[in-house]
């Protein structure tokens, strides 16, 4: 078992939903703006709060994560809401996309380089023309705060670094900004946080 898989299994193995059962507000806003009946992939989806929201909204949803415990809880959450999702249990290092999606979404997916760029490139490859890739991430300015996120600068984001990655990929940047926002996501993300929001479309 990878160190990351063990870390997330331990976190998601605790009682309740560590990041709550309601979606990230930015990701929810992206979902709400989609056309009906879209095929959506969620990367690093954990316990399924975003995926469940999308499935409940009528979309076809796949949730990918390294933690089998997280994905089991995602399935349980969807069952409780009367919807269903497909789950894929894999590390992103080993992810080999085999189908097309209309949108790929994530919240607080924190990857080191060069994996970050590799995953972004694979993501764009899974999208058809006009497909959406969007997410919210903790920025480098989150380091001193205690409201969530890794305490490793190499895992945090800046809009400039994301811009440099996206400039090498077949996409148009619709939104890329850094801001402070109030989080209320379970017991894992609570309070004022510094985030980077990104939305691009496949060329």
């Amino acid at each position: 078992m990878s160190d990351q898989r063990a870390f997330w299994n331990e976190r998601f193995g605790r009682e309740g939903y560590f990041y709550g059962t309601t979606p990230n507000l930015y990701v929810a806003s992206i979902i709400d703006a989609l056309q009906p009946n879209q095929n959506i992939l969620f990367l690093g989806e954990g316990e399924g709060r975003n995926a469940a929201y999308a499935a409940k909204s009528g979309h076809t949803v796949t949730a990918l994560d390294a933690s089998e415990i997280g994905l089991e809880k995602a399935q349980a959450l969807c069952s409780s809401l009367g919807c269903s999702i497909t789950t894929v249990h894999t590390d992103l290092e080993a992810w080999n996309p085999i189908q097309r999606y209309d949108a790929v979404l994530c919240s607080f997916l924190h990857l080191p380089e060069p994996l970050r760029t590799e995953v972004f490139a694979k993501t764009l490859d899974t999208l058809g023309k006009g497909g959406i890739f969007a997410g919210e991430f903790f920025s480098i300015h989150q380091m001193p705060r205690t409201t969530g996120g890794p305490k490793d600068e190499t895992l945090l984001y800046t809009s400039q670094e994301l811009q440099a990655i996206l400039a090498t990929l077949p996409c148009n940047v619709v939104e890329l900004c850094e801001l402070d926002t109030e989080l209320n996501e379970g017991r894992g993300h609570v309070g004022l946080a510094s985030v980077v929001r990104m939305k691009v479309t496949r060329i």
Side-chain angles (χ1 to χ4, degrees):
M1 181 185 296
S2 71
D3 291 342
Q4 280 297 303
R5 187 173 297 183
F7 173 86
W8 290 110
N9 274 338
E10 189 278 329
R11 175 158 292 185
F12 296 146
R14 303 173 193 176
E15 185 177 352
Y17 284 75
F18 192 79
Y19 298 109
T21 56
T22 56
N24 171 268
L25 291 178
Y26 180 67
V27 171
S29 74
I30 300 293
I31 295 167
D32 290 344
L34 292 174
Q35 294 295 313
N37 305 312
Q38 298 291 283
N39 190 13
I40 309 174
L41 172 66
F42 289 87
L43 296 177
E45 177 54 13
E47 298 168 305
R49 60 200 177 99
N50 300 312
Y53 181 81
K56 188 69 175 174
S57 300
H59 300 292
T60 299
V61 174
T62 301
L64 181 152
D65 202 87
S67 167
E68 62 270 30
I69 293 175
L71 292 176
E72 288 167 5
K73 292 173 83 171
Q75 292 281 20
L77 177 59
C78 288
S79 293
S80 73
L81 295 172
C83 58
S84 63
I85 60 173
T86 298
T87 56
V88 177
H89 178 224
T90 187
D91 294 304
L92 280 168
E93 292 90 337
W95 177 41
N96 184 28
I98 56 174
Q99 70 176 92
R100 291 274 185 175
Y101 297 94
D102 300 307
V104 179
L105 306 177
C106 57
S107 62
F108 306 112
L109 181 72
H110 291 277
L111 305 172
E113 286 291 14
L115 180 61
R116 183 183 301 179
T117 296
E118 291 169 3
V119 168
F120 277 40
K122 286 181 181 179
T123 297
L124 268 295
D125 283 345
T126 72
L127 292 170
K129 186 176 181 180
I132 293 169
F133 176 31
E136 182 169 88
F137 315 91
F138 283 116
S139 89
I140 196 77
H141 299 108
Q142 181 67 9
M143 270 294 287
R145 294 178 171 171
T146 58
T147 51
K151 297 308 175 190
D152 179 347
E153 289 191 5
T154 67
L155 298 177
L156 298 170
Y157 291 69
T158 69
S159 56
Q160 293 84 359
E161 287 169 348
L162 281 184
Q163 180 67 59
I165 293 171
L166 296 171
T168 69
L169 300 173
C171 64
N172 286 322
V173 177
V174 178
E175 180 177 12
L176 184 58
C177 61
E178 207 165 318
L179 71 154
D180 282 354
T181 188
E182 195 77 25
L183 297 179
N184 184 18
E185 301 179 341
R187 59 186 183 275
H189 297 156
V190 182
L192 190 66
S194 179
V195 302
V196 177
R197 289 175 174 172
M198 178 199 79
K199 179 183 177 183
V200 304
T201 56
R202 177 70 156 86
I203 296 173

